[in-house]
Structures are given as structure tokens and as C-alpha cells.
Amino acid sequence: IIDPAEVETNIVRASVRASQRRAAEWSAELKRNGVRVNACSAWELRFVTHRHIGATEIDQALDIFSSVWNRWQTAPLTQCTVP
């Protein structure tokens, strides 16, 4: 685990395994909702901020991620066609 007080980075990796949906499915859905993110493994997303991304944009991305998570928690899983 990294102590954010000691390390400064613009890269965040997030596991989505608990959702039972692969990272590629998350990436596609988040992109449809305006969040540009890539799958970096079957179960992990890689978020990267750039100099023009601030707290407001990060909060928006978190809200969208939360919205997708909540929507998927009530939706039945279907066969994932994304590798």
C-alpha cells in the first residue's frame, strides 16, 4: 500500500473484480458516459489524469463510476462478450 503523503502520481489503478464484470466492460461503459479509462488487465482499470484535469473533473468521474456501479448492482449479469 502506498502512502499518498509520500508518493505523488497521476495514475490510479482500480480493481473491479468485486463487480463480477471485466475491466473491458467497465471501460466501454465509462467511455459511453464520458470517462476515458482503459483496462490494464482482465479485472483492473487504469485511470490517468493530465494537467487539465482538476478536482471537479475527478469528482465527476467518481460520480459516473458510482452511478454505473449502482446501476449494475441491480441489473442481472449477462454473458460478457468483451475479451
Side-chain angles (χ1 to χ4, degrees):
I1 297 186
I2 296 173
D3 180 356
E6 294 182 20
V7 177
E8 186 174 325
T9 182
N10 66 330
I11 300 170
V12 174
R13 290 177 65 149
S15 172
V16 292
R17 186 179 294 271
S19 72
Q20 299 181 11
R21 295 178 189 266
R22 293 188 174 270
E25 190 175 357
W26 271 96
S27 177
E29 184 64 19
L30 290 170
K31 285 177 182 175
R32 279 191 287 275
N33 285 274
V35 178
R36 292 168 49 183
V37 61
N38 291 312
C40 58
S41 73
W43 300 104
E44 288 189 343
L45 295 171
R46 182 175 181 262
F47 296 87
V48 179
T49 62
H50 296 280
R51 60 182 168 78
H52 62 281
I53 303 295
T56 300
E57 291 81 13
I58 292 170
D59 287 344
Q60 289 171 342
L62 289 170
D63 287 344
I64 292 167
F65 188 96
S66 177
S67 174
V68 171
W69 176 271
N70 290 332
R71 185 172 64 244
W72 280 355
Q73 293 307 299
T74 59
L77 285 173
T78 58
Q79 182 66 31
C80 181
T81 59
V82 180

